[in-house]
Amino acid sequence: MTTWKHDELQLPTSFRVKIAGSEGQYETTTQDPQYDLSHFILESVDRLMGFHYVNVTAVQEGHESNSVISQTFTFDILKTADITCKLDFPPVNMTVKDLEATVKFSNPIQFYKVLKRYSDDFDFTILQGDMEFNERCRADQMTCGRDFLLPEKQEQHCVRLRGEMTISGAVGSVLFRETELICAHEQTGPGKSQL
C-alpha cells in the first residue's frame, strides 16, 4: 500500500499513480490518497524481486500538479533500494499448558496465495526470552508452528516471530516483519491442541 498527503481542496481531485521500476510499469487513476500495489508487485517473481518507485500526480479539473516520486523500494533483501519492504505474518495463535507452548499460524505461502508460485519453504524463528526456535514450513503445509517447553511458570508467556522466504528462481529472499508480542496465559483443565 502506498499513501500520500494532499491538501483538502474544495474541487474534486483524482490522482494518477504510476508504478515503475526494473520490471515494467503500470498506471492507474484513483480518488483516494492511497493505492494497493500488491496486484502489480505480486504478479511475477521478477516484479516481487525487482525494485520499484511510485510517481503520483494530482489532477483537478484538467490541471495537473507537479509529480511526486517516491523512494525506490524492493522486497528482495539483496537488491539496492531506499526501502526494503517486508511482508506481514498471518495472525498467530499461542497456547500454553503445563509449561508447554504451542505457536501456530497459517502458512504464509498459503495465506499469500500468489506466493505458492514462488517458494517451496518458509523459514521462521520463534523468539521467547533468550531462546530461539528455528523452524521450516513446507509449501504444502496449511499451518506452520511449533511446540516447545517453557523454562518456568509465569502468569503470561510471550513470543515474537520473524521469518524469511527464499524465492525459487531468484538469488535473494523476502523478509517478514517481526511480530509484536504474542502472549498467552497458562490454560487450566484438560485439552491441548496439536499441530
Side-chain angles (χ1 to χ4, degrees), residues 58-120:
V59 180
Q60 203 172 58
E61 291 189 344
H63 300 285
E64 294 185 3
S65 70
N66 291 329
S67 295
V68 176
I69 299 175
S70 73
Q71 293 180 305
T72 59
F73 61 94
T74 183
F75 283 87
D76 186 344
I77 64 172
L78 297 180
K79 282 262 187 329
T80 301
D82 297 317
I83 299 168
T84 300
C85 301
K86 297 177 183 179
L87 293 173
D88 289 322
F89 266 87
V92 178
N93 182 47
M94 178 179 176
T95 57
V96 176
K97 178 151 178 66
D98 299 327
L99 291 179
E100 186 172 356
T102 299
V103 173
K104 292 196 297 188
F105 54 94
S106 294
N107 186 339
I109 299 170
Q110 302 290 337
F111 187 79
Y112 294 103
K113 298 203 182 301
V114 71
L115 295 180
K116 284 188 204 181
R117 296 182 284 178
Y118 305 141
S119 183
D120 296 325

Side-chain angles (χ1 to χ4, degrees), residues 132-194:
E132 289 189 10
F133 303 99
N134 296 305
E135 287 294 324
R136 175 166 282 171
C137 194
R138 294 183 322 276
D140 61 349
Q141 292 177 259
M142 295 303 287
T143 303
C144 302
R146 178 179 173 134
D147 294 332
F148 57 94
L149 293 176
L150 297 164
E152 62 186 3
K153 204 170 198 81
Q154 296 177 358
E155 184 177 320
Q156 178 173 273
H157 298 277
C158 299
V159 297
R160 291 184 189 269
L161 278 75
R162 64 177 175 232
E164 182 174 340
M165 185 179 300
T166 303
I167 303 301
S168 301
V171 175
S173 58
V174 174
L175 295 178
F176 279 68
R177 188 179 338 278
E178 186 171 305
T179 65
E180 298 292 322
L181 280 177
I182 299 156
C183 299
H185 294 280
E186 181 80 20
Q187 290 181 357
T188 57
K192 179 183 179 321
S193 61
Q194 296 292 319

Side-chain angles (χ1 to χ4, degrees), residues 1-2 5 14 20 32 36-37 41 53 76 81 103 109 146 151 172 182 184 190:
M1 181 72 69
T2 186
K5 294 180 181 178
S14 61
D32 297 322
D36 183 355
L37 308 173
I41 302 294
Y53 66 91
D76 186 344
V103 173
I109 299 170
R146 178 179 173 134
I182 299 156

